[in-house]
Amino acid sequence: MADLRPKPAPLLFGLPLLLWGWQSGRWLLGGLLALLLEWAQRTPRRWALGDTSLLRLADLTALAMLALVLFHLSHGPLALGLFALLHWSPLVLLPLLLAQLLSGRSGITRRALFYSQRRSRDPAADRTIDLVPIYLAAVLLAAGQDSQQPQLYFLGLFLVIAWLLWWQRPRRPLAPWVLLMSLALAAGLLTQAGLREVQGRLGELAVELLSGWFASDSDPFRSTTALGDLGRLQLSDRILYRIEAEPPLRRPLLLRSASYDRYVDGIWLTRQQGFAPLTASGPQSWQWGAGDSSADRQLWIGGRRAAEQSILPLPLGTWRLDWLPVAGLERHPLGAIRTRDGPRWLRYRLSYRDQGETTDAPPGEADLRVPPAEQPLLAGLVERLGLADLPPSGRIERLAAYFRQNFRYSLKLPGRVAGQTAIGHFLRQLKQGHCEYFASASVLLLRQAGIPARYAVGYSVQEQDGSGHYLVRHSHGHAWTLYWHRGRWWNLDTTPAIWAGQEADARPFWRPLLDALSELRYRLGLWQEQPRGQGQNPWLWGLLGLLFLALAYRLRLGRAYVQPGKGGGQPQASGPWAQIERQLDAAGYPRQPWETYGRWLGRLRQEPGLGPLIEALHEPLRLHYRQRYGLVGLAEAEQQRLAELLQQAQRHLPAGRGS
């Protein structure tokens, strides 16, 4: 049979296969395949391969591909099998390509490649498909899939394509061809960077949109922390709960999901048994403690249950739930409340006490246990701080001051350090971390100082929307300490209060739109859960229209953090800070309704002449966040320090633009 192929370019297969071997780390395999195919396209020998043999070879290739996908499918999702097929395509497609090259064919017939064409009488079924470009494309895609260095892969891909195009270039002056290839390289690098950025943004957006449909729930028996992990802690900003409080909250409220009393190398545990059913005190009402509904504080909480048995986030001291349409409630001695069956969307009222008796089980032996690996460091720190010489209340205050003055908040995960535990590294050298570090270290230090303590997880309530309600996001997930004092459990949060403001500053610009969609989904979910016959009135569509208008209005206003002791709307500072804000507004640098103070000052940093002012406001902003969001606020000396710093910053204020 005559060889119908055009003369191939040198290293037509060699360069792509070497690129694949380099990117996948399979140098030897890539080199052997390159030598085999370079030999196959140049050898004068030809196989006498009949049509029947070609059909059998195509069937074997299809079976190999199917077996590869099924094997990986048994170990994971379908996408894993498809990626494995692409990953091994240089090997899987090799027999068919060799059949084309060594038989002297211009391609493989459609009848051989597609089983549906086997019995066709259409002459088009005998048309051939050249496998060379298909194989080369598969090799280059496989090299990109295995690449750990995208920039180097792109450069290698460009060089391979440029080499192949060199042999097809028109016989004209070389300079224009080189110029066009250089422009293509530059455009490709810019496009690749842009596509990577878009891909990252779209990935974040997809997680936000899809995560609401696959809600998660706290494990009441086990909390695996990120202590000792490496990287950066990524948290979603999707809304989990909406809270109505009247009067408004005076300080950030901690909603606890579960508590734990045993620590094992970054994991907090509690006993698996212990959930006991509660008896309903009335229709959709549940009570497990004594209290005064007229005197105690009340909240309305709305959200989506994550599972048939779902944990409810509740403040410490909760003793009653009303308007909760579930089949049953179960309570763990360490405070977790679990629902049994019921609607997917809930809106219920709870009563809780800020002071007085708590219903959690009193401390036991586990609440004073410190792991042996942590004891030497903790004992030395307790002695250095003089905690043993103080009464219990003094130990709590000194411990909180120690973390406040010597540690800072960070979402960067440092990874493990040889010879040290995660807690030891945090206390000795790191001096920074997220809430799990602060809560875990505080629990163990309190235990070492003789005060029973537990590890609590849940959410911190502090963000208000435009209507005066509070939003609880996934990023508001928090960990803190419970300690036993004067016959009851108390909350202790040693994480620097600035964490909420830092995370708010990092939110993307499209966050208000997703919040509006989340609000609509929540309202529709509650409406769908109504008993049949309720809410089915002719005014429904009119109400939905008003809801859309309200969402558009709230989207225009944006979101704001609550000023303790005030209702909704834009939070306003008081005293010297308010004077600075008013003067900047008069000078033409107003803070927009959707901007936090941190984001506002970050924007003003770019304005000419405002650099000294922004630098002078750095420390006051940190204290301001603690004053607004901290559970205990600022000490008297710190308040005086804040006032002095703000007074000094006023010297850098610009004059009004109209003056």
Side-chain angles (χ1 to χ4, degrees):
M1 179 180 294
D3 190 353
L4 302 178
R5 299 167 297 166
K7 184 178 180 180
L11 298 179
L12 175 65
F13 297 104
L15 288 180
L17 285 168
L18 289 176
L19 176 63
W20 173 71
W22 169 42
Q23 291 294 303
S24 64
R26 297 177 176 85
W27 280 100
L28 180 58
L29 180 59
L32 290 176
L33 293 181
L35 290 174
L36 177 61
L37 289 177
E38 288 295 325
W39 168 82
Q41 69 173 345
R42 283 173 171 77
T43 179
R45 298 183 180 182
R46 292 293 175 261
W47 290 350
L49 188 64
D51 291 342
T52 302
S53 299
L54 189 60
L55 293 178
R56 301 290 79 80
L57 186 60
D59 290 342
L60 287 175
T61 301
L63 287 175
M65 296 170 64
L66 181 61
L68 183 63
V69 172
L70 292 178
F71 173 78
H72 285 84
L73 184 60
S74 65
H75 293 77
L78 177 61
L80 184 64
L82 297 179
F83 279 116
L85 183 60
L86 176 60
H87 176 83
W88 291 109
S89 57
L91 275 179
V92 174
L93 297 176
L94 181 65
L96 279 177
L97 181 63
L98 283 174
Q100 174 182 326
L101 295 176
L102 293 177
S103 65
R105 297 171 181 264
S106 60
I108 305 299
T109 63
R110 296 174 58 188
R111 192 183 303 277
L113 293 176
F114 304 106
Y115 193 80
S116 60
Q117 301 289 315
R118 293 288 172 87
R119 299 180 181 273
S120 175
R121 297 183 179 181
D122 187 352
D126 293 314
R127 293 178 183 174
T128 60
I129 298 177
D130 187 4
L131 292 187
V132 171
I134 296 176
Y135 185 83
L136 292 176
V139 171
L140 294 176
L141 286 175
Q145 179 199 346
D146 294 325
S147 175
Q148 300 298 321
Q149 298 173 303
Q151 296 292 343
L152 292 179
Y153 163 72
F154 179 81
L155 182 60
L157 178 64
F158 174 80
L159 293 176
V160 169
I161 295 176
W163 172 258
L164 298 180
L165 291 177
W166 170 264
W167 294 95
Q168 303 297 326
R169 74 187 190 283
R171 301 302 177 185
R172 293 180 181 178
L174 182 61
W177 187 88
V178 173
L179 177 61
L180 289 175
M181 292 302 296
S182 301
L183 292 176
L185 175 61
L189 287 172
L190 292 175
T191 304
Q192 183 202 30
L195 288 176
R196 289 180 62 194
E197 179 69 18
V198 170
Q199 181 186 22
R201 294 295 186 180
L202 290 178
E204 295 175 5
L205 184 60
V207 169
E208 294 288 345
L209 292 175
L210 295 177
S211 59
W213 297 99
F214 302 98
S216 60
D217 200 10
S218 299
D219 186 342
F221 307 118
R222 177 188 179 101
S223 178
T224 302
T225 69
L227 303 184
D229 287 355
L230 180 65
R232 180 173 175 82
L233 199 61
Q234 300 291 340
L235 300 173
S236 165
D237 279 324
R238 66 184 174 93
I239 299 172
L240 299 180
Y241 305 101
R242 290 165 172 81
I243 296 178
E244 304 164 42
E246 189 62 40
L249 301 174
R250 296 188 296 269
R251 63 179 69 90
L253 177 67
L254 297 175
L255 295 181
R256 180 185 53 169
S257 297
S259 304
Y260 309 91
D261 54 5
R262 291 170 173 81
Y263 178 76
V264 182
D265 192 24
I267 300 176
W268 283 96
L269 306 163
T270 190
R271 63 173 185 258
Q272 297 284 335
Q273 296 79 23
F275 270 101
L278 294 172
T279 303
S281 58
Q284 301 184 2
S285 295
W286 313 81
Q287 180 174 333
W288 58 92
D292 184 355
S293 297
S294 61
D296 292 340
R297 296 184 64 86
Q298 293 184 340
L299 299 174
W300 284 90
I301 298 183
R304 186 172 184 263
R305 296 173 65 235
E308 290 304 316
Q309 289 188 330
S310 183
I311 301 297
L312 298 179
L314 304 171
L316 185 67
T318 299
W319 60 275
R320 182 182 177 90
L321 295 174
D322 294 296
W323 304 101
L324 183 62
V326 295
L329 278 187
E330 298 175 324
R331 179 171 172 269
H332 194 275
L334 267 61
I337 300 295
R338 185 169 66 184
T339 64
R340 179 165 51 84
D341 299 327
R344 181 64 70 183
W345 294 90
L346 296 173
R347 181 176 176 270
Y348 54 93
R349 185 182 68 188
L350 63 88
S351 302
Y352 71 100
R353 293 182 291 266
D354 274 336
Q355 307 289 334
E357 181 184 359
T358 52
T359 58
D360 291 13
E365 178 271 336
D367 298 307
L368 285 169
R369 186 183 303 166
V370 177
E374 311 286 358
Q375 285 181 0
L377 172 63
L378 296 178
L381 189 54
V382 166
E383 181 179 359
R384 181 159 61 89
L385 295 176
L387 299 183
D389 302 328
L390 298 174
S393 58
R395 300 177 203 175
I396 301 299
E397 293 175 1
R398 183 163 296 183
L399 181 67
Y402 169 69
F403 282 108
R404 184 170 61 248
Q405 297 168 6
N406 298 281
F407 292 76
R408 65 187 183 91
Y409 180 77
S410 173
L411 288 176
K412 184 178 180 180
L413 305 176
R416 293 280 181 176
V417 175
Q420 294 191 56
T421 65
I423 295 295
H425 184 215
F426 170 68
L427 293 173
R428 279 193 185 99
Q429 290 129 356
L430 195 59
K431 304 290 186 178
Q432 63 177 0
H434 50 86
C435 59
E436 293 173 341
Y437 277 98
F438 286 93
S440 298
S442 298
V443 171
L444 298 182
L445 275 170
L446 285 175
R447 291 181 177 183
Q448 188 68 40
I451 297 179
R454 292 171 181 168
Y455 180 85
V457 298
Y459 303 94
S460 177
V461 182
Q462 51 190 275
E463 180 183 350
Q464 249 185 330
D465 63 10
S467 63
H469 297 164
Y470 296 84
L471 302 178
V472 178
R473 303 180 185 273
H474 185 265
S475 58
H476 292 156
H478 200 43
W480 64 94
T481 302
L482 299 178
Y483 69 93
W484 181 262
H485 182 50
R486 295 178 180 174
R488 63 159 288 173
W489 292 100
W490 301 81
N491 289 318
L492 174 64
D493 187 5
T494 56
T495 304
I498 197 173
W499 70 272
Q502 287 182 351
E503 293 181 2
D505 290 340
R507 287 182 189 145
F509 67 89
W510 62 74
R511 186 69 257 172
L513 175 60
L514 296 183
D515 289 349
L517 294 175
S518 176
E519 175 78 11
L520 176 61
R521 181 165 170 261
Y522 167 67
R523 296 297 177 185
L524 291 177
L526 288 180
W527 172 74
Q528 290 174 345
E529 297 292 354
Q530 290 181 354
R532 188 173 298 276
Q534 295 185 17
Q536 309 293 335
N537 56 65
W539 301 101
L540 173 61
W541 295 108
L543 292 176
L544 287 177
L546 292 176
L547 176 61
F548 273 111
L549 293 176
L551 292 176
Y553 178 73
R554 289 174 59 182
L555 179 60
R556 182 177 66 86
L557 289 181
R559 306 293 186 186
Y561 276 89
V562 60
Q563 172 71 13
K566 294 187 177 182
Q570 173 73 16
Q572 298 292 331
S574 58
W577 189 274
Q579 183 176 351
I580 289 177
E581 186 172 354
R582 285 195 297 269
Q583 192 158 343
L584 281 173
D585 183 76
Y589 305 105
R591 180 166 70 95
Q592 301 301 326
W594 57 83
E595 285 185 309
T596 63
Y597 284 102
R599 183 169 290 183
W600 177 46
L601 295 180
R603 176 170 60 84
L604 296 187
R605 187 184 298 274
Q606 312 300 323
E607 297 288 343
L610 293 186
L613 173 64
I614 303 305
E615 291 298 325
L617 289 176
H618 178 74
E619 179 68 12
L621 178 62
R622 186 181 65 82
L623 294 173
H624 179 68
Y625 273 138
R626 279 188 43 214
Q627 185 179 42
R628 289 178 57 194
Y629 302 128
L631 288 176
V632 296
L634 297 179
E636 184 176 352
E638 292 172 319
Q639 294 179 3
Q640 184 177 358
R641 172 67 174 165
L642 174 60
E644 292 173 355
L645 290 173
L646 290 175
Q647 188 173 6
Q648 295 173 9
Q650 291 179 11
R651 303 170 186 171
H652 303 285
L653 284 169
R657 292 186 177 181
S659 59

